[in-house]
Amino acid sequence: MFNSISKSVRVATLFSLLLCVSTGYAQQRFSAGPRVGLNLSNYWGNADGMNFKPGIVAGGFLMYSSLNHFGISADILYSQRGTKYSGPIYLGGTAPIANSGKFTQRVNYLEIPVVARYFLTLSGNFRPNVFVGPSVAIKLNAKRVNGDNALYNGENSQDFNDVDLGATGGFQLNWGTGARQHFLIDARYNLGLTGVQTGLPNLWGRRNSLQNSTATLTLGYSFGVGREFRNRR
């Protein structure tokens, strides 16, 4: 009798494990879509005279989530960053050539963040989530524009490093709008962890510490991709 009960327990346990596994697979979701929005970027560190500038961010994403609390996503984004500078102007020396000047520094990147997501609800059409993860940004080009002296304007990609490493965190509101479709509002902050500038001085002079600081708000739309494994309960 004891052996019979023990065998029944083992069978029930195995059945429960299989049910959990099958349910997990049944709940898997992959989605992808576009996102577009606004950056407010600046630098932190030795960033005297620098102020936030607006820019465009646009691209696409791929997300995995299941009907539990966890997911992961990766984006490929064109991201306009930089700063608005107002202060002394230098041309390689230690003394400024002008006590004050103004220009906008643009640095455009191909940004690739990969973040882990925690969904606050288990199911339903509204699934807000918070996320955090690393990001890498590959410099595309850099240029000074809108200078109050025409001599300040021009391409200066050589002043900035080719790769910027950072950390990204934020939250996303996620509304279901149809079969495997969702409307997304995403707010995030990206903090640069490495210096953006090369050894070459910009017109703002040499800076021993200068990292990206970017707040981003985007709108997106996701579509389910791949086969959907439905629950058999």
Side-chain angles (χ1 to χ4, degrees):
M1 180 178 179
F2 176 79
N3 289 336
S4 177
I5 294 174
S6 177
K7 183 177 179 181
S8 298
V9 169
R10 290 197 298 269
V11 170
T13 301
L14 179 61
F15 178 78
S16 298
L17 289 173
L18 291 175
L19 179 61
C20 290
V21 171
S22 65
T23 300
Y25 279 107
Q27 294 169 348
Q28 288 181 353
R29 301 287 189 275
F30 284 92
S31 60
R35 70 168 80 250
V36 62
L38 176 70
N39 276 344
L40 283 177
S41 64
N42 198 0
Y43 296 118
W44 69 279
N46 187 4
D48 294 343
M50 300 179 184
N51 297 286
F52 280 97
K53 70 169 285 292
I56 294 172
V57 59
F61 64 89
L62 176 66
M63 183 186 303
Y64 165 82
S65 66
S66 60
L67 294 183
N68 57 36
H69 287 293
F70 298 99
I72 189 170
S73 68
D75 298 60
I76 299 180
L77 304 169
Y78 170 73
S79 181
Q80 294 181 341
R81 299 181 183 177
T83 188
K84 290 185 175 181
Y85 177 72
S86 177
I89 301 296
Y90 297 81
L91 277 179
T94 57
I97 64 169
N99 289 327
S100 65
K102 295 180 180 180
F103 61 86
T104 297
Q105 176 68 63
R106 296 176 179 172
V107 188
N108 300 322
Y109 292 95
L110 181 67
E111 182 184 355
I112 306 172
V114 178
V115 299
R117 295 181 180 269
Y118 182 83
F119 290 85
L120 303 182
T121 60
L122 289 173
S123 61
N125 285 329
F126 181 56
R127 297 197 72 201
N129 61 87
V130 295
F131 57 87
V132 66
S135 69
V136 59
I138 302 168
K139 182 193 67 182
L140 301 175
N141 51 64
K143 189 175 184 179
R144 291 187 300 262
V145 298
N146 302 328
D148 57 1
N149 186 321
L151 295 176
Y152 303 160
N153 298 329
E155 197 271 345
N156 67 331
S157 293
Q158 74 280 359
D159 290 347
F160 294 88
N161 290 319
D162 291 333
V163 176
D164 179 62
L165 301 179
T168 296
F171 68 93
Q172 180 174 277
L173 304 179
N174 183 327
W175 285 276
T177 59
R180 303 184 69 189
Q181 299 181 34
H182 292 82
F183 174 70
L184 313 174
I185 300 177
D186 185 290
R188 63 181 62 187
Y189 176 72
N190 180 274
L191 179 67
L193 302 178
T194 57
V196 299
Q197 199 168 343
T198 64
L200 297 172
N202 205 326
L203 292 184
W204 52 55
R206 295 187 182 274
R207 306 285 174 124
N208 57 15
S209 175
L210 205 62
Q211 289 87 38
N212 274 308
S213 174
T214 309
T216 302
L217 180 67
T218 63
L219 303 179
Y221 203 85
S222 71
F223 302 87
V225 295
R227 181 182 175 186
E228 182 179 21
F229 295 89
R230 298 186 180 277
N231 246 324
R232 295 182 178 179
R233 290 183 299 174

